[in-house]
Amino acid sequence: MSTPTRIYIARLAGVAVFDPNGDQVGRVRDAVARLRPTQRPPEVVGLVAEMPMRRRIFLSINRITSIDSDAIVLGTGTLNLRRFEKRPNELLVLQELLDRRVQVEPGGQAGSVVDVAMECSRGGEWSLTRVAVREQTGRLTRRGHLHQVEWERVRGLSGIADSRGTANLLAVLEDMRPADLANALQDLPDARRNEVAAALDDERLADVLSELPEHDQVEILAALDRERAADVLEEMDPDDAADLLSELPPPEQDVLLDLMQPDEADPVRQLLKYTPGTAGSVMTSEPVILPPDATVAEALARIREPQLSPAIAAQVFVSRAPMTTPTGRYLGMVHFQRLLREPPADLLGGVVVNDIDPLRAATPLPEITRRMATYDLVAMPVVDRNNRLVGAVTVDDVLDHLLPRDWRDRDATAGPSTTEPVGGTDG
């Protein structure tokens, strides 16, 4: 194996995994160590890699030919695609050890785990050998010294952890996309998942909640105090917030809506009134809306705003004032490709397209799907009986509601497997 003899595992999180042909197969999410009945440090038996479609698989350490901070290279292109499940005698290093409260001997100095190193012996066996521990100083304004100590000198690495912080685990998860972070949270025990979720800032937590199964969303929201829960709901898109609130009892919905800012709560209240399975129930009430006298340049600047999703930014809806939903009379829409072809100073009123009938709030999902597929659209306007724009249905909204209800739940995802041995450790 061409690799350093000592590797700190947190540095591997997110590193790409390649097969012998140079094709990427996934990214590292954790390391798996097997506990020993003696006092010897745990043996590292493999890595957990996340593949497309959020499937996590086990990679035996014996099938890895190279490990470094830039890439993991496998010695075989044949993989066991069975979803990884930890066995009782195994330890997920990053998930279970980071931020754990420990004591360093001699002296019993208290600290928390920042990272764990694995080393390869002359016989090719990898073990957890060193722990990076940051001292607890007892002072909020001062960070404790960081020590690298032998595994045997650290007490508290085994057994059930006491209450612990989240800073180091969050640092490992920091660069993940919201969907990947949501996937990682599903692998944590419920209490730890709620701790990590609560430590995220409101905007980040809102993005992650939108990617979780409904039951996980409800449990995380219930673990927050109501004022914080209302703040997070304000950061969510109104349609996502409405979907989450619809899972709660009506009295709890009312409490949280009352705690939200009125201008944030009003569109959510309106969405909750629509019949499930209709355009009104799945639409966003905040598409990109501009008046007909806005210029092409202004429209392009608007859709470049980074907080807009690709589906929302794909087109601009044009209407009379007011520009918030429900708007004045709906005039039509302009796709971003059309904007790119027009002179920047031209007005939207001169390039608007209105030859496709908009949806009504009561239009059922099958009809929405048929019309979007017929016209190759990623979004369609929704108008009321007075032809005022009240929202837009995007293709991701439609997919989210056409897929099985539990499609985000990893426990409900069954993946294919090969003829190789299956289980936590296939090496």
Side-chain angles (χ1 to χ4, degrees), residues 412-423:
T413 304
S417 60
T418 69
T419 56
E420 295 181 31
V422 296

Side-chain angles (χ1 to χ4, degrees), residues 214 240-249 253 272 405:
E214 286 83 356
D240 291 328
D243 287 342
L244 174 49
L245 285 172
S246 68
E247 300 293 323
L248 302 177
Q253 292 180 24
L272 286 168
R405 184 177 176 83

